[in-house]
Amino acid sequence: MKRVTYSMGMTADGFITGPDGGFAWGAPDAEEFRASIDEIHGVDVHLLGRKLHETMVYWEDPVQAATWDEAEREWADLWNALPKVVFSRTLTSVDASNTRLATGTVAQEIERLRAEPGDGEIAIGGATLAAAAAELGLIDEYRVRVSPSWSAAGPRSSPGSSGRWTWSS
């Protein structure tokens, strides 16, 4: 059965964006970016919330592409070829490569995707969407990258929580 994974970055105090709503605090270095490229190779489909979808269309922008290095071009090629499903209460359409709007709940979409051929992962992106999947017990593996920085404002890594994580082996 396909595994559902949630890979995310957060500040040391549990936030996923800075006080300005941006991600500059978490810009990956070359090693971290390479790890993201390696990770995406194992993904069959990516489920995204609306906000993350709107952030990720950056990787289809030809104006931005002119400034990318080799690793960024590799990521963009992989990302744009990857099937994506967007969950939104406000969007009526999406205009991005290999992307469609969800037609069911997160549980229904995951059930349908798990039944499809292949053994790659079903990745989830976006804190709100991940929280909904987590509440239903649908996430098999969490991959958390903690940045040694503090935000003190913005969305938490797990909406509705204190941002505290309990770790066990």
Side-chain angles (χ1 to χ4, degrees):
M1 178 169 42
K2 293 183 182 185
R3 294 177 49 77
V4 177
T5 60
Y6 177 39
S7 182
M8 59 174 290
M10 69 179 182
T11 60
D13 57 346
F15 291 93
I16 58 171
T17 67
D20 63 353
F23 297 98
W25 63 267
D29 63 20
E31 183 180 350
E32 292 168 325
F33 197 75
R34 173 52 52 196
S36 294
I37 291 171
D38 293 345
E39 185 176 307
I40 205 74
H41 280 285
V43 175
D44 274 357
V45 61
H46 206 291
L47 311 183
L48 303 92
R50 178 193 53 85
K51 290 178 188 175
L52 182 58
H53 162 69
E54 290 172 346
T55 299
M56 296 303 285
V57 295
Y58 165 88
W59 295 105
E60 296 195 29
D61 184 344
V63 173
Q64 297 297 329
T67 67
W68 294 340
D69 63 24
E70 183 179 332
E72 290 168 317
R73 284 191 298 277
E74 181 181 0
W75 168 264
D77 289 345
L78 292 166
W79 179 256
N80 292 332
L82 185 67
K84 295 170 281 296
V85 181
V86 177
F87 290 79
S88 174
R89 290 182 292 273
T90 58
L91 295 177
T92 57
S93 65
V94 289
D95 185 26
S97 297
N98 295 311
T99 304
R100 68 173 176 84
L101 283 173
T103 57
T105 66
V106 67
Q108 291 166 335
E109 290 285 350
I110 288 173
E111 180 180 2
R112 187 183 63 72
L113 292 166
R114 278 185 165 157
E116 290 182 356
D119 57 358
E121 298 169 358
I122 300 169
I124 292 185
T128 303
L129 180 60
E135 283 181 27
L136 298 170
L138 298 173
I139 299 177
D140 299 307
E141 182 179 343
Y142 293 82
R143 298 175 183 157
V144 182
R145 293 175 308 282
V146 180
S147 172
S149 60
W150 294 89
S151 177
R156 289 260 182 209
S157 56
S158 181
S161 77
S162 66
R164 294 183 184 95
W165 291 75
T166 302
W167 304 105
S168 63
S169 55

